[in-house]
Amino acid sequence: MKRILIRISPAIVVIAAVAAYIWWHQRENRITFVRYEEFGIDIPENYKIHGIDVSKFQKDINWQAVKQMQVKKVRISFAFIKATEGITRQDASFRQNWEKAGKAGLVRGAYHFFYATRDPLKQAINFHNVADLQSGDLPPVLDIETSNNQPAAVIRSTAKIWLEEMEKVYKVKPIIYTNIHFYETYLGTEFDRYPLWLAHYYQKERPRSDRAWLFWQHSDIGRVNGIRTTVDFNVFKGDSTDLAKLCIP
């Protein structure tokens, strides 16, 4: 039997390799949302670690019930809790939420709602006085999502002061919470070294941003045992070991 040699041009090999890479990349980045009636929302199953964020608007929370709820492999592992706002405001439910979430065994994080129109040092003091974070807690969070008609330069300069003060205190880089539009319009590459928590919901897709992020707030209408109101749902890009490494040492 004669052997027939088939020559494949290098161009075809390259095209096939590129096509294979594109297929693999799209498969890896495809988000699978699955409806969980118990949680009242569609949840992206590509992530293992799920969490919520709360404030006084969730009223009295039964944190043991939050911790114990599990549907298939989905359960609440972490919670961001509002601590302060501006230079004087303190969330009325923070202390209760903070203590009970900790006792329930959840990884806790505290956040500060920031105003570029207020003294950033006084805002940092307000947060630190209320949320005395400890080893094992998530880094402090700067919730920055409103411009208050301030130019980008002012927003960046004031935000940096708050972030740098918190880094001095806790020896870790604080987390920035915002949305893609605000980040790209007012913050930009100067803040790329900080861990990012992005708000991006009502769309069944990952946040479309070139900026790497660690947390994704994907819904604001979730339901959890122990909370009478709707609540924001989040995922963490990583596993439990990665989450532990992110926490204050």
Side-chain angles (χ1 to χ4, degrees):
M1 181 181 293
K2 293 182 179 180
R3 292 183 178 180
I4 300 174
L5 298 177
I6 300 175
R7 292 188 176 183
I8 301 175
S9 72
I12 293 176
V13 173
V14 171
I15 291 171
V18 170
Y21 172 79
I22 292 173
W23 172 84
W24 175 84
H25 185 72
Q26 289 177 339
R27 186 192 69 175
E28 290 297 304
N29 286 277
R30 187 178 299 121
I31 290 293
T32 301
F33 275 87
V34 176
R35 181 73 181 182
Y36 283 77
E37 293 300 337
E38 297 89 343
F39 293 113
I41 56 173
D42 297 340
I43 293 179
E45 285 204 321
N46 304 60
Y47 303 94
K48 298 179 181 179
I49 309 298
H50 302 265
I52 58 176
D53 60 273
V54 303
S55 69
K56 65 181 180 181
F57 296 108
Q58 273 67 48
K59 302 178 181 179
D60 290 333
I61 297 175
N62 182 336
W63 285 99
Q64 291 293 339
V66 172
K67 175 66 175 178
Q68 291 168 7
M69 184 178 184
Q70 180 169 345
V71 183
K72 297 181 181 178
K73 294 183 179 181
V74 178
R75 61 187 179 86
I76 303 304
S77 299
F78 66 88
F80 286 112
I81 302 170
K82 184 176 182 181
T84 51
E85 180 174 336
I87 61 176
T88 58
R89 298 179 189 175
Q90 302 170 357
D91 190 273
S93 297
F94 174 74
R95 185 55 55 195
Q96 175 176 289
N97 283 332
W98 188 255
E99 292 177 357
K100 292 187 176 182
K103 288 180 180 178
L106 290 166
V107 177
R108 307 172 300 181
Y111 71 90
H112 172 81
F113 193 91
F114 186 80
Y115 292 101
T117 52
R118 311 289 170 81
D119 186 324
L121 281 176
K122 290 182 179 179
Q123 292 190 72
I125 292 170
N126 183 26
F127 177 81
H128 183 49
N129 285 343
V130 174
D132 185 17
L133 308 181
Q134 304 297 321
S135 175
D137 294 330
L138 288 163
V141 179
L142 180 70
D143 179 343
I144 181 166
E145 54 186 290
T146 179
S147 69
N148 293 112
N149 297 315
Q150 297 300 302
V154 171
I155 293 171
R156 288 194 296 269
S157 62
T158 53
K160 278 183 180 178
I161 292 172
W162 192 96
L163 292 165
E164 289 171 356
E165 285 300 309
M166 289 298 100
E167 190 168 355
K168 289 177 186 176
V169 172
Y170 294 110
K171 312 304 179 187
V172 293
K173 292 197 180 306
I175 298 168
I176 294 175
Y177 167 87
T178 191
N179 57 71
I180 298 171
H181 174 73
F182 192 93
Y183 190 91
E184 294 179 347
T185 303
Y186 297 102
L187 300 179
T189 57
E190 293 181 40
F191 294 82
D192 282 356
R193 64 192 183 97
Y194 292 99
L196 184 61
W197 171 19
L198 276 180
H200 179 77
Y201 34 84
Y202 304 140
Q203 301 177 53
K204 291 186 178 181
E205 59 186 17
R206 280 191 182 93
R208 291 184 176 179
S209 174
D210 293 332
R211 167 71 159 86
W213 51 268
L214 283 181
F215 295 94
W216 168 21
Q217 186 185 71
H218 60 84
S219 177
D220 64 343
I221 54 172
R223 292 281 181 179
V224 183
N225 290 350
I227 301 180
R228 289 175 288 173
T229 68
T230 56
V231 65
D232 298 337
F233 261 63
N234 304 269
V235 291
F236 171 69
K237 187 189 287 185
D239 57 24
S240 57
T241 301
D242 298 321
L243 187 65
K245 288 180 180 177
L246 180 64
C247 292
I248 297 170

